[in-house]
Amino acid sequence: MKRTPLIAGNWKMNTTVSEACSLARAILTGIESADGVEKVICPPFVSLAPLYEILAASPIKLAAQNMYFRPKGAFTGEVSASMIKPFCSYVILGHSERRQIFGESNEIINSKIIAAFEAGLKPILCLGESLEQRKAGKAVDTVTGQLLNCLVNVRQTSELVIAYEPVWAIGTGVNAAIEEVCQIMEALRAALAGMYGTGTGDEIRLLYGGSVTAENTASYLSQPVIDGALVGGASLDSNQFTTIIKLAAAVKNT
Ligand code: 13P
């Protein structure tokens, strides 16, 4: 099964609107013709509308970093799927920072995935084990458990993207070993095949995230089980992010 590689840059809570516009323009200039790779940037909410204007005629798509599952109402500080849909193709859901800092459970993330699909958004579902869980030999069970619980009653799946981001590798410079990532990807692929059948399960792209840089991108993406990357810190540097995109194009399209 040929899956289109995907490189997404999660800017997290970085960039003012004017910084976001400058960064997006620099990335757009730098990517040249990295065909065959889907390119996504995930800025803060306030920059979605201005970046939509800048990127409208470009090959770069936008994702939100989060959303709430209710359609509207008295939920101060939250943003609904229909509010982001005019600007976004994707939405990151279940990032470990949402789980850890804001207490999001698999049940909440499950509701968000259902709401995102209903609104026509493609979820990028993040999964990952803590260092304690890995040390206890529970990495595979933790991540497949998150997958199953986040996808309860989710029937629409071919547009789903999954990002495996071990918590201990996020923002630490300690990126996961290739074998560790491949083991998790194979377990996720098997779990998806069990849930949705081999055909549909095979269409879902599996990304790696956690201290991805221009230096280590090629070694991850040369693995057939890794379909792309969710990049944090390195996506705030236009040179590094565009290098990662070009590397993905070179590695995956040869
Ligand atoms: P870093 O690439 O900064 O480790 O962040 C990864 C991440 O959390 C992307 O969502």
PDB file of all heavy atoms in Angstrom, residues 8-12 42 92 95-97 124 126 163 165-175 208-213 229-236, ligand 1:
ATOM      1  N   ALA A   8       4.363  17.359   9.184  1.00  0.00           N
ATOM      2  CA  ALA A   8       3.579  18.410   9.835  1.00  0.00           C
ATOM      3  C   ALA A   8       4.443  19.111  10.866  1.00  0.00           C
ATOM      4  O   ALA A   8       5.186  18.464  11.608  1.00  0.00           O
ATOM      5  CB  ALA A   8       2.338  17.809  10.504  1.00  0.00           C
ATOM      6  N   GLY A   9       4.336  20.434  10.914  1.00  0.00           N
ATOM      7  CA  GLY A   9       5.081  21.231  11.893  1.00  0.00           C
ATOM      8  C   GLY A   9       4.137  21.763  12.948  1.00  0.00           C
ATOM      9  O   GLY A   9       3.233  22.545  12.627  1.00  0.00           O
ATOM     10  N   ASN A  10       4.327  21.309  14.186  1.00  0.00           N
ATOM     11  CA  ASN A  10       3.491  21.758  15.300  1.00  0.00           C
ATOM     12  C   ASN A  10       4.211  22.900  16.006  1.00  0.00           C
ATOM     13  O   ASN A  10       5.189  22.666  16.715  1.00  0.00           O
ATOM     14  CB  ASN A  10       3.254  20.575  16.253  1.00  0.00           C
ATOM     15  CG  ASN A  10       2.463  20.970  17.487  1.00  0.00           C
ATOM     16  OD1 ASN A  10       1.955  22.090  17.575  1.00  0.00           O
ATOM     17  ND2 ASN A  10       2.356  20.057  18.440  1.00  0.00           N
ATOM     18  N   TRP A  11       3.708  24.096  15.789  1.00  0.00           N
ATOM     19  CA  TRP A  11       4.380  25.276  16.353  1.00  0.00           C
ATOM     20  C   TRP A  11       4.067  25.463  17.836  1.00  0.00           C
ATOM     21  O   TRP A  11       4.622  26.350  18.486  1.00  0.00           O
ATOM     22  CB  TRP A  11       3.983  26.536  15.570  1.00  0.00           C
ATOM     23  CG  TRP A  11       4.494  26.548  14.153  1.00  0.00           C
ATOM     24  CD1 TRP A  11       5.278  25.598  13.548  1.00  0.00           C
ATOM     25  CD2 TRP A  11       4.259  27.561  13.163  1.00  0.00           C
ATOM     26  NE1 TRP A  11       5.546  25.960  12.244  1.00  0.00           N
ATOM     27  CE2 TRP A  11       4.929  27.165  11.981  1.00  0.00           C
ATOM     28  CE3 TRP A  11       3.547  28.761  13.146  1.00  0.00           C
ATOM     29  CZ2 TRP A  11       4.905  27.923  10.799  1.00  0.00           C
ATOM     30  CZ3 TRP A  11       3.516  29.517  11.982  1.00  0.00           C
ATOM     31  CH2 TRP A  11       4.200  29.102  10.829  1.00  0.00           C
ATOM     32  N   LYS A  12       3.133  24.690  18.359  1.00  0.00           N
ATOM     33  CA  LYS A  12       2.745  24.789  19.779  1.00  0.00           C
ATOM     34  C   LYS A  12       2.422  26.250  20.130  1.00  0.00           C
ATOM     35  O   LYS A  12       1.917  26.978  19.269  1.00  0.00           O
ATOM     36  CB  LYS A  12       3.837  24.185  20.673  1.00  0.00           C
ATOM     37  CG  LYS A  12       4.184  22.754  20.222  1.00  0.00           C
ATOM     38  CD  LYS A  12       5.044  21.991  21.179  1.00  0.00           C
ATOM     39  CE  LYS A  12       5.309  20.587  20.625  1.00  0.00           C
ATOM     40  NZ  LYS A  12       6.086  19.753  21.540  1.00  0.00           N
ATOM     41  N   CYS A  42       0.932  23.797  11.708  1.00  0.00           N
ATOM     42  CA  CYS A  42      -0.062  23.834  12.790  1.00  0.00           C
ATOM     43  C   CYS A  42       0.266  25.022  13.682  1.00  0.00           C
ATOM     44  O   CYS A  42       0.980  24.882  14.693  1.00  0.00           O
ATOM     45  CB  CYS A  42      -0.008  22.550  13.614  1.00  0.00           C
ATOM     46  SG  CYS A  42       0.288  21.025  12.664  1.00  0.00           S
ATOM     47  N   ILE A  92      -4.819  18.529  15.166  1.00  0.00           N
ATOM     48  CA  ILE A  92      -4.095  17.649  16.100  1.00  0.00           C
ATOM     49  C   ILE A  92      -5.003  17.388  17.306  1.00  0.00           C
ATOM     50  O   ILE A  92      -5.564  18.325  17.877  1.00  0.00           O
ATOM     51  CB  ILE A  92      -2.789  18.320  16.588  1.00  0.00           C
ATOM     52  CG1 ILE A  92      -1.832  18.569  15.425  1.00  0.00           C
ATOM     53  CG2 ILE A  92      -2.114  17.463  17.662  1.00  0.00           C
ATOM     54  CD1 ILE A  92      -0.557  19.344  15.840  1.00  0.00           C
ATOM     55  N   HIS A  95      -2.653  15.465  21.817  1.00  0.00           N
ATOM     56  CA  HIS A  95      -1.212  15.669  22.024  1.00  0.00           C
ATOM     57  C   HIS A  95      -0.879  15.429  23.496  1.00  0.00           C
ATOM     58  O   HIS A  95      -1.683  15.740  24.383  1.00  0.00           O
ATOM     59  CB  HIS A  95      -0.816  17.090  21.604  1.00  0.00           C
ATOM     60  CG  HIS A  95       0.665  17.258  21.503  1.00  0.00           C
ATOM     61  ND1 HIS A  95       1.460  17.445  22.615  1.00  0.00           N
ATOM     62  CD2 HIS A  95       1.498  17.221  20.442  1.00  0.00           C
ATOM     63  CE1 HIS A  95       2.727  17.533  22.222  1.00  0.00           C
ATOM     64  NE2 HIS A  95       2.776  17.397  20.912  1.00  0.00           N
ATOM     65  N   SER A  96       0.310  14.913  23.761  1.00  0.00           N
ATOM     66  CA  SER A  96       0.638  14.569  25.156  1.00  0.00           C
ATOM     67  C   SER A  96       0.631  15.799  26.059  1.00  0.00           C
ATOM     68  O   SER A  96       0.382  15.687  27.258  1.00  0.00           O
ATOM     69  CB  SER A  96       1.980  13.851  25.235  1.00  0.00           C
ATOM     70  OG  SER A  96       3.007  14.725  24.875  1.00  0.00           O
ATOM     71  N   GLU A  97       0.893  16.986  25.478  1.00  0.00           N
ATOM     72  CA  GLU A  97       0.813  18.197  26.312  1.00  0.00           C
ATOM     73  C   GLU A  97      -0.635  18.479  26.709  1.00  0.00           C
ATOM     74  O   GLU A  97      -0.897  18.964  27.814  1.00  0.00           O
ATOM     75  CB  GLU A  97       1.457  19.376  25.563  1.00  0.00           C
ATOM     76  CG  GLU A  97       2.976  19.211  25.522  1.00  0.00           C
ATOM     77  CD  GLU A  97       3.655  19.758  24.287  1.00  0.00           C
ATOM     78  OE1 GLU A  97       3.065  20.573  23.555  1.00  0.00           O
ATOM     79  OE2 GLU A  97       4.808  19.350  24.039  1.00  0.00           O
ATOM     80  N   ILE A 124      -5.304  14.328  13.460  1.00  0.00           N
ATOM     81  CA  ILE A 124      -3.967  13.749  13.669  1.00  0.00           C
ATOM     82  C   ILE A 124      -3.947  13.335  15.142  1.00  0.00           C
ATOM     83  O   ILE A 124      -3.782  14.179  16.034  1.00  0.00           O
ATOM     84  CB  ILE A 124      -2.845  14.766  13.374  1.00  0.00           C
ATOM     85  CG1 ILE A 124      -2.936  15.282  11.930  1.00  0.00           C
ATOM     86  CG2 ILE A 124      -1.468  14.141  13.644  1.00  0.00           C
ATOM     87  CD1 ILE A 124      -1.936  16.396  11.583  1.00  0.00           C
ATOM     88  N   CYS A 126      -2.564  11.864  18.425  1.00  0.00           N
ATOM     89  CA  CYS A 126      -1.252  11.632  19.034  1.00  0.00           C
ATOM     90  C   CYS A 126      -1.346  10.582  20.144  1.00  0.00           C
ATOM     91  O   CYS A 126      -2.268  10.628  20.972  1.00  0.00           O
ATOM     92  CB  CYS A 126      -0.707  12.925  19.626  1.00  0.00           C
ATOM     93  SG  CYS A 126      -0.450  14.217  18.414  1.00  0.00           S
ATOM     94  N   ALA A 163      -0.022   9.927  15.082  1.00  0.00           N
ATOM     95  CA  ALA A 163       1.355  10.342  15.370  1.00  0.00           C
ATOM     96  C   ALA A 163       1.800   9.658  16.655  1.00  0.00           C
ATOM     97  O   ALA A 163       1.211   9.896  17.721  1.00  0.00           O
ATOM     98  CB  ALA A 163       1.431  11.858  15.514  1.00  0.00           C
ATOM     99  N   GLU A 165       4.213   9.673  19.439  1.00  0.00           N
ATOM    100  CA  GLU A 165       5.163  10.612  20.048  1.00  0.00           C
ATOM    101  C   GLU A 165       5.444  10.165  21.485  1.00  0.00           C
ATOM    102  O   GLU A 165       4.676  10.503  22.400  1.00  0.00           O
ATOM    103  CB  GLU A 165       4.558  12.021  20.090  1.00  0.00           C
ATOM    104  CG  GLU A 165       4.211  12.593  18.724  1.00  0.00           C
ATOM    105  CD  GLU A 165       4.119  14.108  18.752  1.00  0.00           C
ATOM    106  OE1 GLU A 165       3.397  14.661  19.602  1.00  0.00           O
ATOM    107  OE2 GLU A 165       4.799  14.731  17.943  1.00  0.00           O
ATOM    108  N   PRO A 166       6.521   9.408  21.700  1.00  0.00           N
ATOM    109  CA  PRO A 166       6.836   9.024  23.070  1.00  0.00           C
ATOM    110  C   PRO A 166       7.078  10.274  23.914  1.00  0.00           C
ATOM    111  O   PRO A 166       7.819  11.172  23.495  1.00  0.00           O
ATOM    112  CB  PRO A 166       8.108   8.181  22.935  1.00  0.00           C
ATOM    113  CG  PRO A 166       8.612   8.383  21.547  1.00  0.00           C
ATOM    114  CD  PRO A 166       7.508   8.943  20.721  1.00  0.00           C
ATOM    115  N   VAL A 167       6.432  10.342  25.068  1.00  0.00           N
ATOM    116  CA  VAL A 167       6.451  11.567  25.874  1.00  0.00           C
ATOM    117  C   VAL A 167       7.882  11.964  26.224  1.00  0.00           C
ATOM    118  O   VAL A 167       8.250  13.147  26.191  1.00  0.00           O
ATOM    119  CB  VAL A 167       5.608  11.356  27.157  1.00  0.00           C
ATOM    120  CG1 VAL A 167       5.674  12.569  28.071  1.00  0.00           C
ATOM    121  CG2 VAL A 167       4.161  11.037  26.798  1.00  0.00           C
ATOM    122  N   TRP A 168       8.720  10.984  26.493  1.00  0.00           N
ATOM    123  CA  TRP A 168      10.099  11.245  26.922  1.00  0.00           C
ATOM    124  C   TRP A 168      10.976  11.761  25.782  1.00  0.00           C
ATOM    125  O   TRP A 168      12.101  12.215  26.013  1.00  0.00           O
ATOM    126  CB  TRP A 168      10.714   9.964  27.513  1.00  0.00           C
ATOM    127  CG  TRP A 168      10.457   8.740  26.683  1.00  0.00           C
ATOM    128  CD1 TRP A 168       9.380   7.916  26.759  1.00  0.00           C
ATOM    129  CD2 TRP A 168      11.279   8.226  25.633  1.00  0.00           C
ATOM    130  NE1 TRP A 168       9.477   6.921  25.820  1.00  0.00           N
ATOM    131  CE2 TRP A 168      10.640   7.081  25.121  1.00  0.00           C
ATOM    132  CE3 TRP A 168      12.506   8.622  25.074  1.00  0.00           C
ATOM    133  CZ2 TRP A 168      11.161   6.325  24.071  1.00  0.00           C
ATOM    134  CZ3 TRP A 168      13.030   7.872  24.026  1.00  0.00           C
ATOM    135  CH2 TRP A 168      12.361   6.744  23.549  1.00  0.00           C
ATOM    136  N   ALA A 169      10.474  11.693  24.544  1.00  0.00           N
ATOM    137  CA  ALA A 169      11.267  12.159  23.400  1.00  0.00           C
ATOM    138  C   ALA A 169      10.838  13.543  22.928  1.00  0.00           C
ATOM    139  O   ALA A 169      11.452  14.111  22.035  1.00  0.00           O
ATOM    140  CB  ALA A 169      11.134  11.161  22.243  1.00  0.00           C
ATOM    141  N   ILE A 170       9.786  14.094  23.550  1.00  0.00           N
ATOM    142  CA  ILE A 170       9.248  15.378  23.080  1.00  0.00           C
ATOM    143  C   ILE A 170      10.015  16.527  23.708  1.00  0.00           C
ATOM    144  O   ILE A 170      10.053  16.670  24.941  1.00  0.00           O
ATOM    145  CB  ILE A 170       7.739  15.487  23.405  1.00  0.00           C
ATOM    146  CG1 ILE A 170       6.963  14.450  22.588  1.00  0.00           C
ATOM    147  CG2 ILE A 170       7.226  16.895  23.127  1.00  0.00           C
ATOM    148  CD1 ILE A 170       5.479  14.416  22.877  1.00  0.00           C
ATOM    149  N   GLY A 171      10.659  17.314  22.857  1.00  0.00           N
ATOM    150  CA  GLY A 171      11.350  18.512  23.320  1.00  0.00           C
ATOM    151  C   GLY A 171      12.575  18.246  24.175  1.00  0.00           C
ATOM    152  O   GLY A 171      13.083  19.148  24.834  1.00  0.00           O
ATOM    153  N   THR A 172      13.047  17.012  24.166  1.00  0.00           N
ATOM    154  CA  THR A 172      14.164  16.646  25.047  1.00  0.00           C
ATOM    155  C   THR A 172      15.479  16.491  24.292  1.00  0.00           C
ATOM    156  O   THR A 172      16.537  16.438  24.914  1.00  0.00           O
ATOM    157  CB  THR A 172      13.878  15.292  25.732  1.00  0.00           C
ATOM    158  OG1 THR A 172      13.647  14.312  24.707  1.00  0.00           O
ATOM    159  CG2 THR A 172      12.669  15.374  26.638  1.00  0.00           C
ATOM    160  N   GLY A 173      15.405  16.346  22.986  1.00  0.00           N
ATOM    161  CA  GLY A 173      16.610  16.020  22.214  1.00  0.00           C
ATOM    162  C   GLY A 173      16.943  14.540  22.284  1.00  0.00           C
ATOM    163  O   GLY A 173      17.891  14.077  21.648  1.00  0.00           O
ATOM    164  N   VAL A 174      16.163  13.785  23.064  1.00  0.00           N
ATOM    165  CA  VAL A 174      16.381  12.334  23.166  1.00  0.00           C
ATOM    166  C   VAL A 174      15.388  11.655  22.231  1.00  0.00           C
ATOM    167  O   VAL A 174      14.276  11.306  22.638  1.00  0.00           O
ATOM    168  CB  VAL A 174      16.136  11.827  24.616  1.00  0.00           C
ATOM    169  CG1 VAL A 174      16.464  10.341  24.728  1.00  0.00           C
ATOM    170  CG2 VAL A 174      16.948  12.626  25.599  1.00  0.00           C
ATOM    171  N   ASN A 175      15.764  11.498  20.981  1.00  0.00           N
ATOM    172  CA  ASN A 175      14.806  10.887  20.054  1.00  0.00           C
ATOM    173  C   ASN A 175      14.810   9.376  20.206  1.00  0.00           C
ATOM    174  O   ASN A 175      15.824   8.782  20.574  1.00  0.00           O
ATOM    175  CB  ASN A 175      15.094  11.309  18.607  1.00  0.00           C
ATOM    176  CG  ASN A 175      16.518  11.107  18.214  1.00  0.00           C
ATOM    177  OD1 ASN A 175      17.405  11.711  18.801  1.00  0.00           O
ATOM    178  ND2 ASN A 175      16.752  10.243  17.267  1.00  0.00           N
ATOM    179  N   TYR A 208       6.004   9.645  13.079  1.00  0.00           N
ATOM    180  CA  TYR A 208       6.793   9.672  14.314  1.00  0.00           C
ATOM    181  C   TYR A 208       6.988  11.128  14.729  1.00  0.00           C
ATOM    182  O   TYR A 208       7.212  12.001  13.876  1.00  0.00           O
ATOM    183  CB  TYR A 208       8.170   9.006  14.132  1.00  0.00           C
ATOM    184  CG  TYR A 208       9.051   9.288  15.328  1.00  0.00           C
ATOM    185  CD1 TYR A 208       8.790   8.682  16.550  1.00  0.00           C
ATOM    186  CD2 TYR A 208      10.095  10.218  15.256  1.00  0.00           C
ATOM    187  CE1 TYR A 208       9.545   8.989  17.677  1.00  0.00           C
ATOM    188  CE2 TYR A 208      10.855  10.529  16.371  1.00  0.00           C
ATOM    189  CZ  TYR A 208      10.576   9.911  17.579  1.00  0.00           C
ATOM    190  OH  TYR A 208      11.307  10.227  18.699  1.00  0.00           O
ATOM    191  N   GLY A 209       6.938  11.394  16.028  1.00  0.00           N
ATOM    192  CA  GLY A 209       7.249  12.717  16.560  1.00  0.00           C
ATOM    193  C   GLY A 209       8.043  12.587  17.845  1.00  0.00           C
ATOM    194  O   GLY A 209       7.814  11.666  18.643  1.00  0.00           O
ATOM    195  N   GLY A 210       8.958  13.514  18.054  1.00  0.00           N
ATOM    196  CA  GLY A 210       9.789  13.500  19.266  1.00  0.00           C
ATOM    197  C   GLY A 210      11.219  13.801  18.892  1.00  0.00           C
ATOM    198  O   GLY A 210      11.940  12.910  18.442  1.00  0.00           O
ATOM    199  N   SER A 211      11.614  15.091  19.023  1.00  0.00           N
ATOM    200  CA  SER A 211      12.989  15.517  18.724  1.00  0.00           C
ATOM    201  C   SER A 211      13.415  15.160  17.299  1.00  0.00           C
ATOM    202  O   SER A 211      14.564  14.785  17.067  1.00  0.00           O
ATOM    203  CB  SER A 211      13.962  14.950  19.763  1.00  0.00           C
ATOM    204  OG  SER A 211      13.627  15.413  21.061  1.00  0.00           O
ATOM    205  N   VAL A 212      12.484  15.295  16.359  1.00  0.00           N
ATOM    206  CA  VAL A 212      12.847  15.117  14.943  1.00  0.00           C
ATOM    207  C   VAL A 212      13.611  16.361  14.485  1.00  0.00           C
ATOM    208  O   VAL A 212      13.208  17.484  14.756  1.00  0.00           O
ATOM    209  CB  VAL A 212      11.590  14.906  14.066  1.00  0.00           C
ATOM    210  CG1 VAL A 212      11.951  14.928  12.580  1.00  0.00           C
ATOM    211  CG2 VAL A 212      10.905  13.591  14.422  1.00  0.00           C
ATOM    212  N   THR A 213      14.722  16.133  13.804  1.00  0.00           N
ATOM    213  CA  THR A 213      15.547  17.229  13.274  1.00  0.00           C
ATOM    214  C   THR A 213      15.937  16.890  11.835  1.00  0.00           C
ATOM    215  O   THR A 213      15.706  15.763  11.371  1.00  0.00           O
ATOM    216  CB  THR A 213      16.860  17.372  14.081  1.00  0.00           C
ATOM    217  OG1 THR A 213      17.589  16.138  13.949  1.00  0.00           O
ATOM    218  CG2 THR A 213      16.607  17.660  15.542  1.00  0.00           C
ATOM    219  N   ALA A 229       6.442  12.627   9.685  1.00  0.00           N
ATOM    220  CA  ALA A 229       6.882  13.128  10.996  1.00  0.00           C
ATOM    221  C   ALA A 229       6.001  14.274  11.457  1.00  0.00           C
ATOM    222  O   ALA A 229       5.512  15.068  10.643  1.00  0.00           O
ATOM    223  CB  ALA A 229       8.334  13.585  10.920  1.00  0.00           C
ATOM    224  N   LEU A 230       5.797  14.332  12.771  1.00  0.00           N
ATOM    225  CA  LEU A 230       5.179  15.495  13.415  1.00  0.00           C
ATOM    226  C   LEU A 230       6.317  16.201  14.158  1.00  0.00           C
ATOM    227  O   LEU A 230       6.858  15.672  15.135  1.00  0.00           O
ATOM    228  CB  LEU A 230       4.064  15.052  14.367  1.00  0.00           C
ATOM    229  CG  LEU A 230       3.283  16.151  15.088  1.00  0.00           C
ATOM    230  CD1 LEU A 230       2.710  17.181  14.119  1.00  0.00           C
ATOM    231  CD2 LEU A 230       2.144  15.551  15.911  1.00  0.00           C
ATOM    232  N   VAL A 231       6.682  17.358  13.645  1.00  0.00           N
ATOM    233  CA  VAL A 231       7.906  18.037  14.075  1.00  0.00           C
ATOM    234  C   VAL A 231       7.542  19.200  14.990  1.00  0.00           C
ATOM    235  O   VAL A 231       6.686  20.017  14.634  1.00  0.00           O
ATOM    236  CB  VAL A 231       8.667  18.571  12.836  1.00  0.00           C
ATOM    237  CG1 VAL A 231      10.007  19.172  13.235  1.00  0.00           C
ATOM    238  CG2 VAL A 231       8.843  17.476  11.791  1.00  0.00           C
ATOM    239  N   GLY A 232       8.179  19.298  16.154  1.00  0.00           N
ATOM    240  CA  GLY A 232       7.925  20.414  17.063  1.00  0.00           C
ATOM    241  C   GLY A 232       8.954  21.511  16.869  1.00  0.00           C
ATOM    242  O   GLY A 232       8.904  22.272  15.912  1.00  0.00           O
ATOM    243  N   GLY A 233       9.934  21.554  17.752  1.00  0.00           N
ATOM    244  CA  GLY A 233      10.916  22.635  17.771  1.00  0.00           C
ATOM    245  C   GLY A 233      11.554  22.941  16.418  1.00  0.00           C
ATOM    246  O   GLY A 233      11.689  24.113  16.042  1.00  0.00           O
ATOM    247  N   ALA A 234      11.920  21.900  15.679  1.00  0.00           N
ATOM    248  CA  ALA A 234      12.614  22.122  14.395  1.00  0.00           C
ATOM    249  C   ALA A 234      11.699  22.755  13.344  1.00  0.00           C
ATOM    250  O   ALA A 234      12.187  23.296  12.350  1.00  0.00           O
ATOM    251  CB  ALA A 234      13.184  20.796  13.876  1.00  0.00           C
ATOM    252  N   SER A 235      10.383  22.744  13.567  1.00  0.00           N
ATOM    253  CA  SER A 235       9.487  23.351  12.579  1.00  0.00           C
ATOM    254  C   SER A 235       9.408  24.868  12.747  1.00  0.00           C
ATOM    255  O   SER A 235       8.823  25.565  11.914  1.00  0.00           O
ATOM    256  CB  SER A 235       8.086  22.740  12.665  1.00  0.00           C
ATOM    257  OG  SER A 235       7.423  23.127  13.855  1.00  0.00           O
ATOM    258  N   LEU A 236      10.019  25.396  13.818  1.00  0.00           N
ATOM    259  CA  LEU A 236      10.041  26.847  14.028  1.00  0.00           C
ATOM    260  C   LEU A 236      11.229  27.493  13.321  1.00  0.00           C
ATOM    261  O   LEU A 236      11.379  28.710  13.334  1.00  0.00           O
ATOM    262  CB  LEU A 236      10.112  27.161  15.532  1.00  0.00           C
ATOM    263  CG  LEU A 236       8.860  26.768  16.319  1.00  0.00           C
ATOM    264  CD1 LEU A 236       9.130  26.796  17.818  1.00  0.00           C
ATOM    265  CD2 LEU A 236       7.688  27.685  15.974  1.00  0.00           C
TER     266      LEU A 236
HETATM  267  P1  13P B   1       9.742  18.243  19.415  1.00  0.00           P
HETATM  268  O1  13P B   1       9.999  17.955  17.955  1.00  0.00           O
HETATM  269  O2  13P B   1      10.075  19.636  19.824  1.00  0.00           O
HETATM  270  O3  13P B   1      10.332  17.187  20.275  1.00  0.00           O
HETATM  271  O4  13P B   1       8.146  18.135  19.626  1.00  0.00           O
HETATM  272  C1  13P B   1       7.474  17.043  19.118  1.00  0.00           C
HETATM  273  C2  13P B   1       6.029  17.289  19.231  1.00  0.00           C
HETATM  274  O5  13P B   1       5.486  17.320  20.321  1.00  0.00           O
HETATM  275  C3  13P B   1       5.270  17.516  17.993  1.00  0.00           C
HETATM  276  O6  13P B   1       3.900  17.481  18.230  1.00  0.00           O
END
